[in-house]
Short mmCIF file of all heavy atoms in Angstrom, two decimals:
data_model
loop_
_atom_site.label_atom_id
_atom_site.label_comp_id
_atom_site.label_asym_id
_atom_site.label_seq_id
_atom_site.Cartn_x
_atom_site.Cartn_y
_atom_site.Cartn_z
N GLY B 22 0.81 -1.21 0.00
CA GLY B 22 0.00 0.00 0.00
C GLY B 22 0.84 1.26 0.00
O GLY B 22 0.58 2.21 -0.75
N GLN B 23 1.89 1.29 0.83
CA GLN B 23 2.73 2.47 0.94
C GLN B 23 3.49 2.76 -0.36
O GLN B 23 3.70 3.92 -0.72
CB GLN B 23 3.71 2.32 2.10
CG GLN B 23 3.04 2.36 3.47
CD GLN B 23 2.48 3.74 3.81
OE1 GLN B 23 3.20 4.73 3.77
NE2 GLN B 23 1.19 3.79 4.12
N ARG B 24 3.90 1.71 -1.08
CA ARG B 24 4.61 1.92 -2.34
C ARG B 24 3.71 2.62 -3.36
O ARG B 24 4.16 3.51 -4.10
CB ARG B 24 5.08 0.58 -2.91
CG ARG B 24 6.33 0.03 -2.24
CD ARG B 24 6.75 -1.25 -2.94
NE ARG B 24 7.66 -2.03 -2.11
CZ ARG B 24 7.63 -3.34 -2.00
NH1 ARG B 24 6.72 -4.04 -2.66
NH2 ARG B 24 8.50 -3.97 -1.23
N GLN B 25 2.44 2.22 -3.38
CA GLN B 25 1.53 2.85 -4.33
C GLN B 25 1.25 4.30 -3.94
O GLN B 25 1.19 5.18 -4.80
CB GLN B 25 0.21 2.07 -4.41
CG GLN B 25 0.39 0.70 -5.04
CD GLN B 25 -0.94 0.01 -5.28
OE1 GLN B 25 -1.75 0.45 -6.10
NE2 GLN B 25 -1.18 -1.08 -4.55
N ILE B 26 1.11 4.56 -2.64
CA ILE B 26 0.92 5.93 -2.18
C ILE B 26 2.14 6.77 -2.54
O ILE B 26 2.01 7.90 -3.05
CB ILE B 26 0.66 5.95 -0.67
CG1 ILE B 26 -0.72 5.35 -0.36
CG2 ILE B 26 0.75 7.38 -0.11
CD1 ILE B 26 -1.00 5.12 1.11
N ASP B 27 3.33 6.22 -2.32
CA ASP B 27 4.57 6.94 -2.66
C ASP B 27 4.66 7.21 -4.16
O ASP B 27 5.18 8.25 -4.59
CB ASP B 27 5.80 6.13 -2.23
CG ASP B 27 6.03 6.17 -0.72
OD1 ASP B 27 5.47 7.06 -0.06
OD2 ASP B 27 6.76 5.30 -0.21
N SER B 28 4.18 6.27 -4.97
CA SER B 28 4.32 6.41 -6.43
C SER B 28 3.54 7.58 -6.97
O SER B 28 3.85 8.09 -8.06
CB SER B 28 3.86 5.12 -7.13
OG SER B 28 2.44 4.98 -7.06
N PHE B 29 2.52 8.03 -6.25
CA PHE B 29 1.73 9.18 -6.70
C PHE B 29 2.38 10.52 -6.38
O PHE B 29 1.92 11.56 -6.84
CB PHE B 29 0.33 9.15 -6.07
CG PHE B 29 -0.53 8.01 -6.54
CD1 PHE B 29 -1.07 7.12 -5.63
CD2 PHE B 29 -0.79 7.82 -7.89
CE1 PHE B 29 -1.87 6.07 -6.05
CE2 PHE B 29 -1.58 6.76 -8.32
CZ PHE B 29 -2.12 5.88 -7.39
N GLN B 30 3.44 10.48 -5.58
CA GLN B 30 4.07 11.73 -5.14
C GLN B 30 5.25 12.07 -6.05
O GLN B 30 6.34 11.53 -5.90
CB GLN B 30 4.54 11.62 -3.68
CG GLN B 30 3.46 11.11 -2.73
CD GLN B 30 2.17 11.88 -2.88
OE1 GLN B 30 2.14 13.08 -2.68
NE2 GLN B 30 1.09 11.20 -3.24
N ALA B 31 5.01 12.97 -6.98
CA ALA B 31 6.02 13.33 -7.98
C ALA B 31 7.27 13.87 -7.30
O ALA B 31 7.18 14.76 -6.46
CB ALA B 31 5.47 14.37 -8.94
N GLY B 32 8.42 13.29 -7.65
CA GLY B 32 9.68 13.78 -7.10
C GLY B 32 9.87 13.47 -5.64
O GLY B 32 10.79 13.97 -5.01
N GLY B 33 9.00 12.66 -5.06
CA GLY B 33 9.13 12.31 -3.65
C GLY B 33 8.73 13.43 -2.71
O GLY B 33 9.07 13.38 -1.53
N ASN B 34 7.98 14.42 -3.20
CA ASN B 34 7.62 15.55 -2.33
C ASN B 34 6.50 15.23 -1.36
O ASN B 34 6.27 15.97 -0.41
CB ASN B 34 7.19 16.74 -3.19
CG ASN B 34 8.35 17.35 -3.95
OD1 ASN B 34 9.47 17.33 -3.46
ND2 ASN B 34 8.08 17.85 -5.14
N ARG B 35 5.78 14.13 -1.61
CA ARG B 35 4.68 13.73 -0.73
C ARG B 35 3.74 14.90 -0.45
O ARG B 35 3.40 15.20 0.67
CB ARG B 35 5.23 13.15 0.59
CG ARG B 35 6.07 11.90 0.38
CD ARG B 35 6.60 11.34 1.67
NE ARG B 35 5.58 10.69 2.47
CZ ARG B 35 5.20 9.43 2.30
NH1 ARG B 35 5.71 8.70 1.35
NH2 ARG B 35 4.27 8.91 3.08
N GLN B 36 3.32 15.57 -1.53
CA GLN B 36 2.49 16.75 -1.38
C GLN B 36 1.03 16.43 -1.11
O GLN B 36 0.36 17.15 -0.39
CB GLN B 36 2.61 17.63 -2.64
CG GLN B 36 4.00 18.21 -2.82
CD GLN B 36 4.13 18.96 -4.12
OE1 GLN B 36 3.28 18.85 -5.00
NE2 GLN B 36 5.20 19.71 -4.27
N GLY B 37 0.51 15.37 -1.72
CA GLY B 37 -0.89 15.06 -1.48
C GLY B 37 -1.44 14.03 -2.43
O GLY B 37 -0.92 13.83 -3.54
N LEU B 38 -2.49 13.34 -1.98
CA LEU B 38 -3.22 12.39 -2.80
C LEU B 38 -4.57 12.97 -3.16
O LEU B 38 -5.22 13.60 -2.31
CB LEU B 38 -3.45 11.08 -2.02
CG LEU B 38 -2.26 10.21 -1.67
CD1 LEU B 38 -2.70 9.09 -0.74
CD2 LEU B 38 -1.64 9.62 -2.92
N ASN B 39 -5.03 12.73 -4.39
CA ASN B 39 -6.40 13.10 -4.73
C ASN B 39 -7.27 11.86 -4.72
O ASN B 39 -6.78 10.72 -4.67
CB ASN B 39 -6.47 13.85 -6.07
CG ASN B 39 -6.00 13.00 -7.25
OD1 ASN B 39 -6.43 11.87 -7.44
ND2 ASN B 39 -5.10 13.57 -8.06
N PHE B 40 -8.57 12.06 -4.78
CA PHE B 40 -9.50 10.94 -4.62
C PHE B 40 -9.40 9.93 -5.75
O PHE B 40 -9.55 8.72 -5.52
CB PHE B 40 -10.94 11.47 -4.50
CG PHE B 40 -11.12 12.44 -3.36
CD1 PHE B 40 -11.97 13.53 -3.49
CD2 PHE B 40 -10.43 12.28 -2.18
CE1 PHE B 40 -12.13 14.44 -2.46
CE2 PHE B 40 -10.58 13.18 -1.14
CZ PHE B 40 -11.43 14.26 -1.29
N GLU B 41 -9.14 10.39 -6.97
CA GLU B 41 -9.02 9.46 -8.09
C GLU B 41 -7.79 8.58 -7.93
O GLU B 41 -7.82 7.39 -8.28
CB GLU B 41 -8.96 10.23 -9.41
CG GLU B 41 -10.27 10.92 -9.78
CD GLU B 41 -11.45 9.96 -9.78
OE1 GLU B 41 -11.32 8.86 -10.38
OE2 GLU B 41 -12.49 10.29 -9.18
N GLN B 42 -6.72 9.13 -7.40
CA GLN B 42 -5.53 8.32 -7.14
C GLN B 42 -5.83 7.25 -6.10
O GLN B 42 -5.41 6.10 -6.24
CB GLN B 42 -4.38 9.22 -6.68
CG GLN B 42 -3.79 10.09 -7.78
CD GLN B 42 -2.80 11.11 -7.24
OE1 GLN B 42 -2.90 11.55 -6.09
NE2 GLN B 42 -1.85 11.49 -8.08
N ILE B 43 -6.54 7.64 -5.04
CA ILE B 43 -6.88 6.68 -3.99
C ILE B 43 -7.74 5.56 -4.56
O ILE B 43 -7.51 4.37 -4.30
CB ILE B 43 -7.60 7.38 -2.83
CG1 ILE B 43 -6.65 8.39 -2.15
CG2 ILE B 43 -8.10 6.36 -1.80
CD1 ILE B 43 -7.35 9.32 -1.18
N LYS B 44 -8.73 5.92 -5.38
CA LYS B 44 -9.61 4.91 -5.98
C LYS B 44 -8.84 3.97 -6.90
O LYS B 44 -9.23 2.80 -7.08
CB LYS B 44 -10.73 5.60 -6.76
CG LYS B 44 -11.75 6.31 -5.91
CD LYS B 44 -12.78 7.01 -6.79
CE LYS B 44 -13.79 7.80 -5.97
NZ LYS B 44 -14.78 8.51 -6.82
N SER B 45 -7.75 4.45 -7.49
CA SER B 45 -7.00 3.63 -8.44
C SER B 45 -5.99 2.70 -7.76
O SER B 45 -5.37 1.86 -8.43
CB SER B 45 -6.25 4.53 -9.43
OG SER B 45 -5.15 5.18 -8.80
N ILE B 46 -5.81 2.81 -6.45
CA ILE B 46 -4.86 1.94 -5.74
C ILE B 46 -5.29 0.49 -5.89
O ILE B 46 -6.44 0.13 -5.63
CB ILE B 46 -4.78 2.33 -4.25
CG1 ILE B 46 -4.08 3.69 -4.11
CG2 ILE B 46 -4.02 1.26 -3.46
CD1 ILE B 46 -4.06 4.22 -2.68
N LYS B 47 -4.38 -0.34 -6.33
CA LYS B 47 -4.66 -1.76 -6.54
C LYS B 47 -4.51 -2.52 -5.23
O LYS B 47 -3.54 -2.35 -4.50
CB LYS B 47 -3.73 -2.35 -7.60
CG LYS B 47 -3.93 -1.77 -9.00
CD LYS B 47 -2.97 -2.41 -9.98
CE LYS B 47 -3.23 -1.94 -11.41
NZ LYS B 47 -3.02 -0.48 -11.57
N ILE B 48 -5.48 -3.35 -4.93
CA ILE B 48 -5.46 -4.18 -3.73
C ILE B 48 -5.89 -5.58 -4.10
O ILE B 48 -6.88 -5.78 -4.81
CB ILE B 48 -6.37 -3.58 -2.62
CG1 ILE B 48 -6.41 -4.51 -1.41
CG2 ILE B 48 -7.77 -3.28 -3.13
CD1 ILE B 48 -7.12 -3.91 -0.20
N THR B 49 -5.12 -6.56 -3.67
CA THR B 49 -5.45 -7.96 -3.94
C THR B 49 -6.08 -8.55 -2.68
O THR B 49 -5.48 -8.49 -1.60
CB THR B 49 -4.19 -8.75 -4.33
OG1 THR B 49 -3.52 -8.06 -5.40
CG2 THR B 49 -4.55 -10.14 -4.80
N ILE B 50 -7.27 -9.09 -2.81
CA ILE B 50 -8.02 -9.53 -1.64
C ILE B 50 -8.35 -11.01 -1.69
O ILE B 50 -8.59 -11.58 -2.76
CB ILE B 50 -9.33 -8.72 -1.47
CG1 ILE B 50 -10.26 -8.92 -2.67
CG2 ILE B 50 -9.02 -7.24 -1.27
CD1 ILE B 50 -11.65 -8.33 -2.46
N PRO B 51 -8.37 -11.68 -0.54
CA PRO B 51 -8.83 -13.06 -0.44
C PRO B 51 -10.33 -13.08 -0.14
O PRO B 51 -11.01 -12.05 -0.19
CB PRO B 51 -8.03 -13.59 0.74
CG PRO B 51 -7.91 -12.40 1.65
CD PRO B 51 -7.84 -11.19 0.75
N SER B 52 -10.82 -14.24 0.22
CA SER B 52 -12.22 -14.35 0.64
C SER B 52 -12.45 -13.51 1.88
O SER B 52 -11.51 -13.16 2.60
CB SER B 52 -12.56 -15.81 0.94
OG SER B 52 -11.84 -16.25 2.10
N LYS B 53 -13.70 -13.22 2.15
CA LYS B 53 -14.02 -12.39 3.32
C LYS B 53 -13.59 -13.09 4.61
O LYS B 53 -13.10 -12.44 5.54
CB LYS B 53 -15.51 -12.06 3.35
CG LYS B 53 -15.85 -10.99 4.37
CD LYS B 53 -17.27 -10.49 4.19
CE LYS B 53 -17.57 -9.36 5.18
NZ LYS B 53 -18.95 -8.85 5.01
N ASP B 54 -13.75 -14.40 4.67
CA ASP B 54 -13.35 -15.14 5.88
C ASP B 54 -11.85 -15.01 6.13
O ASP B 54 -11.40 -14.85 7.28
CB ASP B 54 -13.72 -16.62 5.76
CG ASP B 54 -15.22 -16.86 5.92
OD1 ASP B 54 -15.91 -15.96 6.44
OD2 ASP B 54 -15.69 -17.94 5.52
N GLU B 55 -11.05 -15.06 5.06
CA GLU B 55 -9.61 -14.94 5.23
C GLU B 55 -9.23 -13.50 5.61
O GLU B 55 -8.34 -13.27 6.43
CB GLU B 55 -8.88 -15.37 3.96
CG GLU B 55 -7.37 -15.47 4.15
CD GLU B 55 -6.66 -16.12 2.98
OE1 GLU B 55 -7.34 -16.54 2.01
OE2 GLU B 55 -5.41 -16.21 3.02
N GLN B 56 -9.92 -12.54 5.00
CA GLN B 56 -9.70 -11.15 5.39
C GLN B 56 -9.94 -10.96 6.89
O GLN B 56 -9.14 -10.31 7.58
CB GLN B 56 -10.66 -10.23 4.64
CG GLN B 56 -10.40 -10.06 3.16
CD GLN B 56 -11.43 -9.13 2.54
OE1 GLN B 56 -11.68 -8.03 3.03
NE2 GLN B 56 -12.03 -9.57 1.44
N ILE B 57 -11.04 -11.53 7.37
CA ILE B 57 -11.40 -11.38 8.78
C ILE B 57 -10.33 -11.99 9.68
O ILE B 57 -9.94 -11.39 10.70
CB ILE B 57 -12.78 -12.02 9.06
CG1 ILE B 57 -13.88 -11.20 8.38
CG2 ILE B 57 -13.04 -12.14 10.56
CD1 ILE B 57 -15.25 -11.87 8.41
#
């Protein structure tokens, strides 16, 4: 998760995330039972 957040920060300035960037973050999920 942190790598994807970092990748949105041009030049490493960590200035901010917008909502479209957050929505585009890729997450791989298991079944709900495994998540729990």
Side-chain angles (χ1 to χ4, degrees):
Q23 290 292 305
R24 282 184 198 140
Q25 292 188 66
I26 290 171
D27 285 342
S28 72
F29 293 123
Q30 309 310 300
N34 290 328
R35 298 180 73 85
Q36 294 175 347
L38 293 172
N39 62 50
F40 303 143
E41 291 306 313
Q42 288 171 332
I43 296 169
K44 290 178 183 179
S45 72
I46 290 175
K47 295 180 175 63
I48 176 172
T49 308
I50 62 171
S52 68
K53 192 169 183 179
D54 286 343
E55 189 170 358
Q56 290 179 50
I57 290 171

